[in-house]
Amino acid sequence: MMQSLLFQLILTSCVFLNSVNNVNAGITSTFIRKEWPSVDIPLDNEVFAVPTGHNAPQQYDTKYYYKIGSGDSAREFWFQTPPKIGPDVRYKFGVIGDLGQTYNSLSTLEHYMQSGAQTVLFVGDLAYADRYQYNDVGIRWDSWGRFVEKSTAYQPWIWSAGNHEIEYMPYMDEVIPFKSYLHRYPTPHLACKSSNPMWYAIRRGSAHIIVLSSYSPFVKYTPQWLWLREELKRVDREKTPWLIVLMHVPLYNSNEAHFMEGESMRAVFEEWLIHHKVDVIFAGHVHAYERSHRISNVRYNVSSGERYPVPDKSAPVYITVGDGGNQEGLAERFRDPQPEYSAFREASYGHSTLELRNRTHAFYHWNRNDDGKKVATDSFVLHNQYWSNNLRRRKLKKHRLSALGRIASY
């Protein structure tokens, strides 16, 4: 009996590990969730009420208290300053995209707040206020601000903009793109020599995070192109070994929704991203979850005929997390057959976490919202690209991994 159980356990482990390391063994999840209403929560719901009191501490280093308003309307909050930049600083990020303000959105936000993460990497499409008209647009921006305040008032959210932030509405004389977004959510772009708040970089813990704008010009000689070329040169992997990129439109996507919309940006930037050994790229836009193997398509051009992505150990892992819970619902139609570059995909709401353990390894998890419950569904160990390309770093990597145990990894 014991031998039989041991054999089954070994067989299950081998199948699981093979599925994440073999590019020909992608997984399309068959999970089908019960449909929660994909409608925005009514404005009189308690989640939009002005909160009393403040959250319990969840972070370390120096805590600062700050107060907004005066007299009876004054409200006190706090935030924690980040740890000093360093290659082995442990830090945990949450990753959320396409959130909106539905009951599914609320489930995602509440599950994230239980994760113990210290900063959110937000990959675009915030309030979905552009689905309303006239005064209701501003009202829904404000309600979303109250909706996420339970987190944003106490910890950083690193923003990138999506298509629902454009708000080009000539019928109501609103023709300045991103007007509502930029007035409400400033970014630290001047600190990284960016000429525009839509693209910028920030260092946090052991990570250098680059935010790109899918809906701003990015072809050769444009301001975003020029800035990224120089910013990649400024990355110091000895101090911040983890290089993370955020954008809204995924460069690789096997869903029918928004298929190949990121192809133009891929053609412009993919070679740079591989050359500079980006570790992982997070995107949203597609209302589903998908994770890729390390692949590239840099050899493709209009005359070469080499049009299929190939395995590439120098390439990033591409992860789509446009599954926050917005009003438009899930993107349930994946392309068939599943491409070889696609490792795992599922049409469910949820959020991710990325925990940087040291300069060589990080833990990644995607958590599904299963009828209001948080369910860990996809996970792996992410190997740092910079600290795995010479003998000295490989020895350090081997030593550190031995302390983490055996788990699927990239």
Side-chain angles (χ1 to χ4, degrees):
M1 182 66 178
M2 289 298 295
Q3 290 180 336
S4 176
L5 289 174
L6 180 60
F7 174 76
Q8 293 180 20
L9 178 61
I10 295 173
L11 179 61
T12 301
S13 300
C14 290
V15 170
F16 174 72
L17 289 172
N18 186 58
S19 69
V20 296
N21 287 304
N22 186 346
V23 297
N24 296 314
I27 298 173
T28 299
S29 173
T30 58
F31 175 81
I32 300 176
R33 63 179 300 281
K34 296 179 182 178
E35 185 64 25
W36 281 23
S38 288
V39 295
D40 283 346
I41 302 173
L43 290 171
D44 58 359
N45 190 285
E46 62 180 5
V47 300
F48 298 135
V50 175
T52 58
H54 55 272
N55 294 1
Q58 297 182 15
Q59 303 179 60
Y60 46 101
D61 301 315
T62 306
K63 179 183 289 186
Y64 290 90
Y65 291 86
Y66 66 101
K67 185 177 292 186
I68 297 177
S70 60
D72 294 337
S73 64
R75 301 168 58 208
E76 187 175 86
F77 305 93
W78 56 261
F79 67 90
Q80 196 88 5
T81 56
K84 186 178 179 180
I85 298 297
D88 291 308
V89 174
R90 294 182 62 165
Y91 204 83
K92 190 172 185 178
F93 294 98
V95 189
I96 301 175
D98 301 70
L99 185 59
Q101 42 193 307
T102 70
Y103 293 98
N104 293 308
S105 315
L106 178 60
S107 179
T108 297
L109 182 61
E110 290 179 339
H111 291 157
Y112 162 71
M113 293 183 65
Q114 298 168 9
S115 71
Q118 299 149 277
T119 292
V120 170
L121 307 177
F122 196 89
V123 291
D125 282 358
L126 287 70
Y128 284 79
D130 63 339
R131 294 177 63 84
Y132 294 83
Q133 295 183 351
Y134 301 104
N135 289 341
D136 288 337
V137 175
I139 289 173
R140 276 298 176 175
W141 270 108
D142 292 345
S143 66
W144 194 81
R146 293 193 296 274
F147 178 68
V148 297
E149 184 184 82
K150 63 182 70 176
S151 176
T152 58
Y154 303 95
Q155 63 175 211
W157 283 40
I158 299 176
W159 307 104
S160 59
N163 53 297
H164 285 279
E165 280 72 73
I166 297 175
E167 292 188 335
Y168 179 73
M169 302 172 175
Y171 68 90
M172 48 187 283
D173 294 329
E174 291 293 346
V175 295
I176 301 175
F178 304 105
K179 181 178 177 181
S180 299
Y181 166 74
L182 291 175
H183 275 79
R184 288 171 169 82
Y185 298 99
T187 64
H189 68 288
L190 296 177
C192 59
K193 302 181 181 180
S194 169
S195 61
N196 192 301
M198 300 295 291
W199 57 85
Y200 62 98
I202 189 170
R203 297 186 301 169
R204 185 56 51 102
S206 57
H208 192 117
I209 302 158
I210 293 177
V211 179
L212 298 179
S213 176
S214 299
Y215 299 100
S216 301
F218 53 77
V219 296
K220 195 172 184 178
Y221 306 127
T222 60
Q224 184 171 199
W225 185 92
L226 292 169
W227 173 82
L228 180 60
R229 183 182 63 178
E230 298 307 310
E231 182 62 27
L232 288 169
K233 297 175 184 177
R234 288 191 285 266
V235 178
D236 185 347
R237 304 298 282 270
E238 297 289 332
K239 295 180 179 178
T240 51
W242 294 97
L243 183 52
I244 301 169
V245 174
L246 311 182
M247 59 184 64
H248 186 61
V249 179
L251 303 189
Y252 287 94
N253 162 39
S254 69
N255 200 293
E256 292 287 356
H258 308 300
F259 182 63
M260 290 190 71
E261 284 187 20
E263 185 65 6
S264 55
M265 180 174 274
R266 185 202 64 77
V268 174
F269 289 148
E270 184 178 28
E271 191 168 358
W272 287 0
L273 302 175
I274 294 171
H275 175 75
H276 289 277
K277 299 186 180 299
V278 171
D279 293 293
V280 60
I281 296 178
F282 291 108
H285 200 39
V286 180
H287 300 166
Y289 172 75
E290 184 168 19
R291 170 174 57 84
S292 80
H293 295 290
R294 293 194 185 275
I295 44 90
S296 70
N297 203 13
V298 292
R299 293 186 296 178
Y300 169 76
N301 60 57
V302 294
S303 60
S304 70
E306 298 181 17
R307 59 193 179 93
Y308 295 107
V310 297
D312 189 338
K313 293 182 180 179
S314 297
V317 173
Y318 296 89
I319 300 179
T320 300
V321 283
D323 53 357
N326 67 84
Q327 190 183 107
E328 293 177 339
L330 291 168
E332 298 178 337
R333 294 178 57 206
F334 285 105
R335 295 177 66 85
D336 190 36
Q338 184 172 2
E340 291 184 355
Y341 66 75
S342 177
F344 185 93
R345 56 186 191 175
E346 180 178 308
S348 292
Y349 296 117
H351 77 279
S352 298
T353 58
L354 179 66
E355 184 178 1
L356 309 182
R357 298 295 297 271
N358 51 49
R359 74 186 67 189
T360 63
H361 295 84
F363 287 164
Y364 171 84
H365 296 269
W366 175 62
N367 304 280
R368 175 205 299 151
N369 299 349
D370 183 3
D371 297 327
K373 299 178 181 178
K374 175 183 173 183
V375 181
T377 308
D378 184 35
S379 62
F380 66 96
V381 172
L382 182 66
H383 292 191
N384 185 271
Q385 291 286 63
Y386 176 79
W387 284 91
S388 61
N389 67 354
N390 67 37
L391 181 61
R392 179 177 67 88
R393 293 167 186 147
R394 284 200 300 271
K395 289 181 177 178
L396 177 61
K397 170 182 164 184
K398 183 177 180 180
H399 171 72
R400 293 177 184 275
L401 184 58
S402 65
L404 299 177
R406 185 174 177 85
I407 188 172
S409 61
Y410 280 96

